[in-house]
Amino acid sequence: MLQTSTISDVRTRITAIRPAGADVSILSMPCPEIAAAARPGNFVNIKVSAGDQPLLRRPFCIHNVQGDTIDVMVKNVGRGTSLLCEASCGESLLVLGPLGNSFGTGTGEFDTALCVSGGIGTAPMLFLEKTLASEGIPFHHLAGGRSKSDLLTTGLSNVSTSTDDGSEGFHGNVVQLLEKHLAERTNAGRVKVFACGPNPMLKALARFCKDRAIGCELSLESVMGCGVGICYGCMVELSNADGEKESILLCREGPVIDGERFTA
Ligand SMILES: Cc1cc2nc3c(=O)[nH]c(=O)nc-3n(C[C@H](O)[C@H](O)[C@H](O)COP(=O)(O)OP(=O)(O)OC[C@H]3O[C@@H](n4cnc5c(N)ncnc54)[C@H](O)[C@@H]3O)c2cc1C
C-alpha cells in the first residue's frame, strides 16, 4: 500500500454523466491537480450539492483518470448518491482528493494480478487495471454479483463473471470463481489479489487467500465523514501482526488494507 502525497480541494463541473448499470452512473469532472496525483485505490470526498444538505461530503473511489479528468462510478443508495446520479452536466461540485492510500502494484512481488470485485466494488478496478497494464503486469478480473444486473464490467478487459443466481457467468460466488480460476491457470506464477466489494465477500476472500498464502489487498468501505482523519467517523477494527484487535481510521490508513488484517 502506498500513501498519498498532495491533496487538493477542487471546484469543478460535471462534464459527462453516463449510465453504467442498474442505479449506477459514471460522472466525469476535470480536476487537474487530483488527476495528476491520483493512484489506483485513492478516493475523493465530494460535496454533492451547492446547498447545506447533505452537509457531509460523500467518498468515492477514483474510477478512471483521463488527462486532467477523473471519473467516479456512483451507485444510487441514498440522498447524496441520488443527487449525483440525477445531476446534470455543468453542475458545480467540490472535490477533495486524492485521499487515502493506494493499491501496491509496482512492488515486483508478484507475476500476475487477480482483481476481484463484488457489485459496485468494481469502481476502483478500471484505474487499477490501466496502471497494471502500463507497468506491464498481466492481470485477470473476476467480477461477481448477486444477479446479471449487478455486474459492472464496462471498460474492463480479461473479465470472468460470477452470479449467485447463475443468470450470467459462473454459478456461485466470486470466491468460488477465484478457486476455479486458480485451479485452471497453473502457469500464472506468483499471484496477488486486489479486491473491493461488500465486507462479507472481502472477509471470505481474505480467509481464502490466507489459507493458500496468496498476497491480498482489500479496499474496504465504512461510513465516512471528513475523509482526512479529523472527525474519527471511519474507525474500523482490524487485527495487527500479533493477531490483536486494533482500530484504524480508514480514511487515512486505508481504504486499502493487507487482507491478513481482515481475517479474524
Ligand atoms: C473509501 C470509500 C470509497 C467509496 N467508493 C464508492 C464508489 O466508488 N462508488 C459508490 O457508489 N460508493 C462508494 N462508496 C460508498 C459511498 O460513499 C456511499 O454509498 C455514500 O456515501 C452513501 O451516501 P448517500 O447520501 O447516498 O447515502 P445515505 O442517505 O447517507 O445512506 C443510505 C444508505 O447507505 C449507507 N451508507 C452510507 N454511507 C456508506 C458507506 N460509506 N458505505 C456503505 N454504505 C453507506 C447508509 O448506512 C444507508 O443505509 C465508498 C465509500 C468509501 C468509504
Side-chain angles (χ1 to χ4, degrees):
M1 281 76 68
L2 303 169
Q3 289 301 324
T4 302
S5 47
T6 324
I7 297 173
S8 307
D9 202 8
V10 178
R11 165 73 63 191
T12 187
R13 290 189 183 281
I14 301 170
T15 50
I17 306 178
R18 47 194 195 284
D23 293 327
V24 178
S25 298
I26 296 174
L27 282 73
S28 300
M29 298 158 283
C31 297
E33 300 88 344
I34 297 176
R39 289 264 317 147
N42 287 154
F43 68 99
V44 288
N45 216 7
I46 302 183
K47 177 86 176 71
V48 299
S49 79
D52 295 347
Q53 297 300 326
L55 188 61
L56 293 177
R57 296 183 185 218
R58 299 296 194 255
F60 300 95
C61 300
I62 298 175
H63 172 63
N64 196 12
V65 175
Q66 296 177 85
D68 284 351
T69 297
I70 64 162
D71 291 353
V72 289
M73 179 187 259
V74 181
K75 184 170 176 68
N76 184 347
V77 296
R79 207 160 40 131
T81 46
S82 72
L83 283 169
L84 283 179
C85 289
E86 288 155 18
S88 307
C89 283
E91 269 187 44
S92 172
L93 298 172
L94 265 175
V95 184
L96 182 71
L99 300 173
N101 61 3
S102 57
F103 290 113
T105 58
T107 60
E109 293 165 359
F110 57 96
D111 305 306
T112 304
L114 295 176
C115 305
V116 181
S117 64
I120 189 66
T122 306
M125 295 301 175
L126 179 60
F127 187 21
L128 171 63
E129 292 174 8
K130 282 173 68 172
T131 304
L132 289 165
S134 73
E135 291 170 351
I137 302 170
F139 64 86
H140 196 92
H141 189 114
L142 307 169
R146 275 167 302 179
S147 189
K148 184 178 177 175
S149 60
D150 299 311
L151 295 172
L152 297 165
T153 54
T154 313
L156 298 173
S157 42
N158 305 333
V159 190
S160 303
T161 57
S162 70
T163 49
D164 297 348
D165 66 3
S167 51
E168 187 170 309
F170 173 75
H171 189 172
N173 68 44
V174 77
V175 181
Q176 293 167 326
L177 175 61
L178 172 63
E179 185 169 22
K180 179 172 172 289
H181 180 89
L182 289 170
E184 288 168 358
R185 315 270 171 114
T186 48
N187 60 348
R190 297 165 302 164
V191 298
K192 179 153 187 181
V193 167
F194 298 92
C196 185
N199 280 355
M201 171 205 130
L202 294 182
K203 193 133 256 186
L205 183 64
R207 288 206 192 102
F208 176 91
C209 291
K210 186 178 182 188
D211 289 348
R212 290 156 184 80
I214 295 171
C216 166
E217 292 187 14
L218 310 174
S219 177
L220 295 189
E221 268 195 22
S222 73
V223 173
M224 197 172 273
C226 68
V228 290
I230 297 168
C231 75
Y232 281 64
C234 61
M235 195 92 86
V236 294
E237 201 173 70
L238 303 174
S239 319
N240 65 21
D242 300 322
E244 294 157 349
K245 296 282 179 201
E246 183 180 70
S247 293
I248 66 157
L249 291 180
L250 198 68
C251 68
R252 286 231 314 242
E253 293 177 60
V256 182
I257 60 147
D258 186 331
E260 280 244 8
R261 305 186 68 189
F262 204 53
T263 49

